[in-house]
Amino acid sequence: MKHISILVPETAVTAAIVDPRYMFSAVNEFFKSAGHEPFFKIQLVGLTNEVTINDGLVTIRPDLLIDQVLKTDLIIVPALSGSMEIALQKNKDFLPWIVSQYKNGAEVASLCIGAFLLAETGLLKDKSCSTHWLFSNDFRDRYPDVRLEHEKIITEQNGLYTSGGATSYWNLLLYLVEKYTTREMAIMASKFFLLEMERNSQSQFIMFKGQKEHDDFPIVRAQEYIEANYNLKLTVEEIADKVGIARRTFERRFKRATSNTVVEYLQRVKIEVAKQQLETGRKTVNEVMYEVGYTDTKAFREVFKKVTGMSPIDYRNKYN
């Protein structure tokens, strides 16, 4: 029997505690229906005997306190809410316990922005991680030694799992069910919960808003120039000249400030405009392509798919 410890942090998102418990409990019922013993022992684990969340609307009584858990197989770190600074401070006593259990053989899975709490342990240093795309800039700033892959639905490395934004954690839960039980059980769970199997990218949901939360003001000016002239064939030299910085220095500062190369940033701005036009307008894909400054259909299609994970036509069909 696999022991699963679902953390109950202060400031947690209620659904991110309830849903994992529901998923693994449902799988236990599948086993029982097939004449087998339940496969998972599921326990809520907290720092106190009562945890009040959702601004006092919900009170959860954990089954155990962390010092009562001698060994577990899997720790689920639910999504947090509100200020990350406050959330991490309130839940800091979980950190040494998570590290100790991991060193003792437990695996750890964070859901959505629960990745902040997992990263705070230091276990994700030099490892891949995903989280909600909306928080990717904050995450990179706080944990520069973690390889953030915010376009991914699931990451796995050395017994550490993370999921992308919001309900994408259901895909991680399915993944863990398959890992610990069988493919057949995972398929049954996907049908029971009406979930798509093997969804592996959240790129199509990402809304690019630029990365301007830095103090390099010439780079902010360059970003604003790109965003105002996305339909032109801009070159790196031209943009560097606009802000009065030598090209090599400009490219280095731009990458450090935005986590994108100049070309990547320009592509993402163009594709974000194209996405909006495909979502709301009646223009053809070619008309949209020309309006955002592309003349090569193949190049536009390749960049669009690289950024969104979908072709322009498929994107329009799905979201228009």
Side-chain angles (χ1 to χ4, degrees):
M1 180 176 284
K2 291 289 183 182
H3 288 239
I4 297 181
S5 299
I6 303 172
L7 301 190
V8 186
E10 288 194 53
T11 73
V13 174
T14 307
I17 297 171
V18 174
D19 290 345
R21 189 174 185 277
Y22 188 15
M23 169 67 83
F24 294 116
S25 297
V27 173
N28 277 345
E29 292 301 317
F30 302 156
F31 273 99
K32 287 163 66 176
S33 296
H36 303 294
E37 291 295 314
F39 193 85
F40 297 110
K41 183 175 182 179
I42 311 150
Q43 294 176 316
L44 303 184
V45 179
L47 298 174
T48 58
N49 291 320
E50 283 192 355
V51 182
T52 301
I53 54 181
N54 279 27
D55 296 324
L57 293 175
V58 178
T59 298
I60 297 178
R61 296 179 177 84
D63 301 302
L64 296 171
L65 303 181
I66 56 172
D67 58 5
Q68 296 174 307
V69 181
L70 301 180
K71 191 174 189 326
T72 189
D73 295 301
L74 174 66
I75 298 167
I76 300 288
V77 182
L80 305 175
S81 62
S83 162
M84 282 301 105
E85 200 67 49
I86 293 173
L88 294 173
Q89 178 61 30
K90 285 187 173 183
N91 296 292
K92 66 181 187 301
D93 290 343
F94 278 117
L95 303 178
W97 180 81
I98 294 172
V99 172
S100 174
Q101 289 292 334
Y102 179 72
K103 290 180 177 178
N104 198 31
E107 297 189 313
V108 188
S110 69
L111 310 184
C112 191
I113 55 175
F116 281 78
L117 190 60
L118 178 54
E120 199 73 11
T121 65
L123 294 175
L124 287 176
K125 183 178 180 182
D126 298 324
K127 294 183 178 67
S128 298
C129 173
S130 188
T131 190
H132 198 299
W133 59 265
L134 188 61
F135 293 83
S136 57
N137 291 343
D138 293 339
F139 190 93
R140 284 193 183 95
D141 289 343
R142 190 175 185 97
Y143 308 109
D145 56 0
V146 179
R147 296 198 305 273
L148 183 64
E149 300 183 62
H150 71 275
E151 75 284 356
K152 289 191 174 181
I153 292 287
I154 298 170
T155 68
E156 174 189 2
Q157 197 168 358
N158 294 19
L160 299 170
Y161 308 86
T162 65
S163 74
T167 58
S168 68
Y169 65 65
W170 283 101
N171 292 87
L172 175 55
L173 296 176
L174 273 182
Y175 183 86
L176 292 169
V177 167
E178 181 173 354
K179 175 184 171 64
Y180 286 124
T181 63
T182 64
R183 174 75 172 179
E184 290 72 24
M185 278 293 172
I187 291 172
M188 189 176 296
S190 75
K191 292 180 178 179
F192 180 80
F193 289 102
L194 276 68
L195 300 171
E196 292 182 26
M197 293 284 287
E198 297 170 345
R199 188 160 60 103
N200 55 21
S201 174
Q202 58 180 343
S203 295
Q204 62 187 279
F205 304 107
I206 295 173
M207 293 184 292
F208 184 66
K209 297 180 181 298
Q211 297 109 327
K212 299 192 180 74
E213 295 177 0
H214 57 82
D215 55 6
D216 194 334
F217 296 111
I219 299 303
V220 172
R221 284 170 44 218
Q223 291 172 266
E224 291 172 345
Y225 180 76
I226 290 172
E227 290 163 12
N229 298 279
Y230 63 83
N231 58 325
L232 304 179
K233 289 186 177 181
L234 299 175
T235 65
V236 176
E237 291 88 346
E238 178 185 349
I239 302 166
D241 287 343
K242 285 288 182 183
V243 294
I245 304 175
R247 173 177 173 162
R248 284 192 175 182
T249 302
F250 173 68
E251 288 182 302
R252 185 173 64 252
R253 283 171 59 175
F254 195 98
K255 174 76 181 223
R256 184 173 63 240
T258 70
S259 300
N260 287 121
T261 66
V262 183
V263 172
E264 287 170 344
Y265 195 92
L266 182 55
Q267 287 176 340
R268 294 191 67 182
V269 169
K270 287 175 179 288
I271 297 306
E272 188 61 31
V273 175
K275 283 166 57 183
Q276 292 170 10
Q277 293 197 16
L278 291 172
E279 289 165 13
T280 60
R282 295 189 176 184
K283 296 173 183 172
T284 66
V285 170
N286 280 349
E287 287 173 329
V288 170
M289 175 187 74
Y290 290 127
E291 288 202 9
V292 298
Y294 281 93
T295 55
D296 185 327
T297 304
K298 183 172 182 290
F300 175 67
R301 186 171 59 247
E302 287 176 351
V303 173
F304 194 97
K305 189 163 187 177
K306 176 184 174 184
V307 172
T308 68
M310 304 174 71
S311 71
I313 291 174
D314 288 343
Y315 188 91
R316 184 185 63 184
N317 291 341
K318 185 168 186 176
Y319 291 107
N320 187 288

